[in-house]
Amino acid sequence: MTAMNPHAQHTSSVDALAPIFKASGDPLRLEILRVLRRDTFGVLELSQLFDMRQSGMSHHLKVMHKAGLLEPQREGNAIFYRRPLHLDSDKLTDLTIRQIFETVDKVALPAHLQEKIEAIRTQRADQSQAFFARHAEQFREQQELIAAFDLYAEPVAELLRKRADRQAWQTSLEIGPGEGAFLPVLSELSEHVVALDNSRDMLAKATRTCIDQRLNNVDLIEGVTDTLLARGDAFDLVVANMVLHHVPSPADIFLDAAALMNNGGCLVISELCSHDQDWAKANCGDLWLGFEPEELTAWAAEAGLIAGEQLFIGLRNGFQVQVREFWKTTVPA
């Protein structure tokens, strides 16, 4: 077999890099990459952020996607864009893309752009809250169209009980407790439990669960993670069961959870894997159609958390649930 000419090999590598630098050599495109550091945005949302026509934004996104700087993510009938999940550490083109990301991330977003991002997140949050306000009475029925509570709650409880043999959960937080069905488990494992929800209607249901179950060590708080950060709260354990697909910026949950966790603390998440069943948005109030496991791992890593155990549960209706564990320090044996 004839060896490749070194000059030809060098030229081939340069040719592969050229489209990447060409696609990123534009201030607007660099800003798009900066905006997509943790968030996933649709074409219309990006057009709104940068005050440009959809056709113009679509052109930029097409060029960046072709160069490998972005990848599309279908959410029902809509296309969202994110940074690529899989970048090979040994591949020259992927190393180049990663370096571009690392460089552009050092530049702070302009205040006006950050304000627009917050406005989009608020729109998403309002959409989710409005759904739960309308359907609080049918919450369990709506959720179980996708996954029955016990199918993911039992594996999460089993994981926590296994860890509790060697890990003391003095303080626990559940983000988005819904009707409070998982609070008895946390009440049993922790001395003090906080249940946080931005839906007053759902908190009322969780309060009734605490009364009926006589859970005297649970505090229910209306608000978001910023509410607890402002109070200076800290927890050994944070749990989010089937919550991420309802929140406007799922990646921020990892950042906030890490900030709220004591050193050695654990974040446990049960969540839908990526799927294409768009009816879940209208019928269950979902903002996102699940997530790739690599997305959760990447968000956790950026928040300084280390991935631990993981479990995947296939459901008969075609959905799949992932149960994931993330630690603020090294993973216990």
Side-chain angles (χ1 to χ4, degrees), residues 48-167:
Q48 178 183 336
L49 284 175
F50 293 100
D51 295 320
M52 68 183 305
R53 296 171 65 91
Q54 182 180 349
S55 57
M57 178 56 67
S58 295
H59 170 72
H60 285 292
L61 296 174
K62 181 179 179 180
V63 171
M64 296 168 76
H65 172 221
K66 188 174 181 179
L69 292 164
L70 299 179
E71 62 184 16
Q73 172 183 331
R74 179 168 291 279
E75 294 286 335
N77 295 323
I79 299 294
F80 284 69
Y81 284 87
R82 64 188 179 196
R83 292 186 182 181
L85 294 178
H86 306 284
L87 289 174
D88 193 323
S89 58
D90 297 324
K91 192 175 179 181
L92 183 59
T93 52
D94 286 1
L95 283 171
T96 302
I97 291 171
R98 184 179 288 109
Q99 288 172 350
I100 290 172
F101 292 162
E102 290 174 354
T103 302
V104 78
D105 287 344
K106 295 177 181 178
V107 182
L109 280 175
H112 74 278
L113 196 53
Q114 188 62 55
E115 289 172 2
K116 289 184 177 181
I117 291 174
E118 291 303 324
I120 288 175
R121 290 175 177 172
T122 299
Q123 291 171 3
R124 293 174 177 175
D126 289 346
Q127 176 184 337
S128 180
Q129 279 186 287
F131 176 88
F132 286 111
R134 291 194 306 269
H135 301 286
E137 293 303 318
Q138 300 86 31
F139 173 77
R140 177 65 71 86
E141 292 84 349
Q142 298 283 3
Q143 288 297 96
E144 295 203 351
L145 288 172
I146 294 177
F149 173 76
D150 289 344
L151 289 177
Y152 57 87
E154 283 302 321
V156 173
E158 182 179 340
L159 175 63
L160 294 181
R161 291 190 179 109
K162 181 178 71 173
R163 289 302 191 194
D165 291 340
R166 290 168 291 174
Q167 199 84 15

Side-chain angles (χ1 to χ4, degrees), residues 29 54 62 129 182 193-194 222 245 267 307 310 328:
R29 293 175 188 171
Q54 182 180 349
K62 181 179 179 180
Q129 279 186 287
F182 197 73
V193 180
V194 170
E222 182 180 351
H245 58 270
L267 168 65
Q310 58 183 17
K328 196 164 182 176

Side-chain angles (χ1 to χ4, degrees), residues 183-184 186-188 191-195 206 210 214-220:
L183 291 177
L186 295 179
S187 178
E188 166 199 336
E191 291 184 10
H192 180 226
V193 180
V194 170
C210 290
R214 298 182 180 179
L215 307 180
N216 299 319
N217 61 341
V218 179
D219 288 336
L220 295 108

Side-chain angles (χ1 to χ4, degrees), residues 259-281:
L260 287 166
M261 286 159 56
N262 292 318
N263 194 36
C266 183
L267 168 65
V268 176
I269 286 177
S270 62
E271 185 51 61
L272 294 173
C273 292
S274 181
H275 63 87
D276 59 2
Q277 301 195 45
D278 192 41
W279 60 265
K281 289 191 172 186

